[in-house]
Amino acid sequence: PPQFLSSLTQTQVYPIVPAADPAQPLQTPLCPRCDYDLAGSFAAWFPAADTPGAACPTTGTCTECGLSFAAADVLVPARASCPGLYDHATHNRLRAFITTSLWIIFPWVFWSRVKMHHRINLRRIVIPPLALIATLFLLDRIIMVAAHILATKYGHAINFIGTGPLDIPAWSSGHPAIAAAFPFVMNVGSGFRAGPGTFIGGMMLAANLMWPLLLFVLPHTRSTARIRKQHIYRAWAYSFWPLAAITVFMTLAFALDLLVYLELATDFTRQIRTIASYISIACAWSGVVYVFHLAAWWSFALTKGWRIHGGWWVAILLSFTSLLAAFAAFGSIGIFLADL
């Protein structure tokens, strides 16, 4: 009814609601958290709108999960977009990419802006970081194999960063495949052992995978709060973006080392080596910071983004479990890969 649309668009009642076009139908009212159909609840408002002097309420409560929400968030299509979020950007995507990346660095900022009623475009969230990680990881492996071949051919020793001066032919036993696995796997005598990349990478992946796994299997989290799977998928997809950033900078460090080895920048050898070393050290520490960042990321998702009742207790429990899994992976990888 016109009175209902008027109650949603009056600036003095709800100043942040954009003007709605009465000729354009409103979207189906669904709960932002559990996707419950709220058509019956909204239908009960209409008789009040026909009463002289009455107005429809601007807030509501889901009868299924108990979420309190603004009526405009579930009725006005324009409210489903979050300004500045990358997967919602239609123009100037580079700016939205930078803005979203900065939000991810500060989880409380991201989850204060990205709400449950905002639409979810998983394909756009997942493809950029995964494509970047895959491309740069492949490029990084090509650099390592090329360095191995050159070192084997010319008998040079390559001082790659990460664990100190390393002779690639010695560590790879003359096999390019082992050179491609460095620094994740290294040859020691007659066997192999885990490299520094395996320890840090395993720690990051264990922490990253533990959060969605726990949220899906624990009954007190998703089932009790009735969180849609799409919300967990979106949080998980955006949590890969810092991994992509670490991959970018680590590949840059190896590329700088290769420039030095190929003697393409002889006038700036010391400066380039210093920069590459600092980048490598920063990436290694970023892997450790990333584990704790994940705890903050998911904690604010539970409490600020999804507004779960008792969310901080759930966040503390899951954070402890995730950190335990990360450090367990860090310590156990060396045991499993010690004597392959």
Side-chain angles (χ1 to χ4, degrees):
Q3 300 95 326
F4 182 66
L5 290 176
S6 176
S7 68
L8 286 177
T9 56
Q10 287 179 349
T11 56
Q12 67 269 25
V13 176
Y14 203 85
I16 62 174
V17 176
D21 184 4
Q24 188 177 20
L26 297 174
Q27 63 186 20
T28 303
L30 299 175
C31 175
R33 183 161 65 191
C34 68
D35 217 23
Y36 182 73
D37 191 344
L38 301 172
S41 300
F42 281 93
W45 295 6
F46 295 155
D50 297 331
T51 304
C56 294
T58 57
T59 60
T61 301
C62 177
T63 57
E64 182 70 13
C65 67
L67 176 70
S68 298
F69 55 86
D73 290 343
V74 299
L75 289 174
V76 181
R79 300 279 290 174
S81 296
C82 178
L85 190 64
Y86 175 74
D87 58 305
H88 292 178
T90 55
H91 304 287
N92 203 347
R93 293 185 180 180
L94 178 59
R95 180 178 179 181
F97 178 84
I98 296 173
T99 300
T100 303
S101 300
L102 293 176
W103 290 357
I104 293 174
I105 296 175
F106 307 99
W108 56 92
V109 175
F110 183 94
W111 292 111
S112 65
R113 287 170 166 78
V114 180
K115 300 300 183 181
M116 288 180 287
H117 65 272
H118 292 141
R119 69 177 183 274
I120 301 172
N121 188 347
L122 289 176
R123 180 177 298 179
R124 186 181 289 187
I125 300 172
V126 171
I127 289 179
L130 291 186
L132 185 63
I133 291 174
T135 302
L136 292 181
F137 185 81
L138 179 61
L139 176 61
D140 184 67
R141 298 304 94 194
I142 293 174
I143 291 175
M144 293 300 301
V145 172
H148 164 81
I149 294 174
L150 291 172
T152 304
K153 181 177 181 179
Y154 297 107
H156 293 307
I158 310 174
N159 294 326
F160 274 96
I161 55 181
T163 58
L166 296 175
D167 189 341
I168 296 298
W171 285 103
S172 61
S173 299
H175 297 290
I178 304 302
F182 178 84
F184 300 96
V185 177
M186 298 188 300
N187 179 62
V188 181
S190 60
F192 304 100
R193 77 176 186 187
T198 303
F199 290 106
I200 297 177
M203 179 178 63
M204 291 190 295
L205 288 177
N208 182 279
L209 296 175
M210 187 58 62
W211 276 98
L213 177 63
L214 292 175
L215 287 172
F216 279 126
V217 301
L218 289 183
H220 184 66
T221 52
R222 189 177 69 87
S223 59
T224 301
R226 292 176 173 83
I227 307 172
R228 284 191 296 154
K229 292 182 179 180
Q230 287 80 358
H231 293 309
I232 299 178
Y233 289 147
R234 173 164 62 183
W236 190 20
Y238 273 123
S239 71
F240 277 98
W241 283 37
L243 275 176
I246 294 174
T247 304
V248 169
F249 286 104
M250 201 65 213
T251 304
L252 174 62
F254 278 117
L256 291 175
D257 252 2
L258 188 60
L259 288 178
V260 174
Y261 172 72
L262 296 177
E263 299 180 352
L264 298 178
T266 54
D267 295 335
F268 304 97
T269 298
R270 179 175 297 180
Q271 292 86 343
I272 293 176
R273 287 284 296 151
T274 301
I275 294 173
S277 298
Y278 282 141
I279 294 175
S280 179
I281 294 172
C283 288
W285 279 107
S286 296
V288 178
V289 173
Y290 175 71
V291 174
F292 291 93
H293 180 272
L294 282 174
W297 171 262
W298 287 97
S299 296
F300 280 101
L302 290 166
T303 57
K304 200 172 187 67
W306 304 335
R307 293 155 53 190
I308 294 179
H309 179 69
W312 279 115
W313 291 108
V314 177
I316 292 173
L317 175 62
L318 298 187
S319 296
F320 177 78
T321 307
S322 175
L323 294 175
L324 184 62
F327 289 108
F330 185 88
S332 61
I333 285 175
I335 299 175
F336 288 113
L337 297 181
D339 297 309
L340 292 179

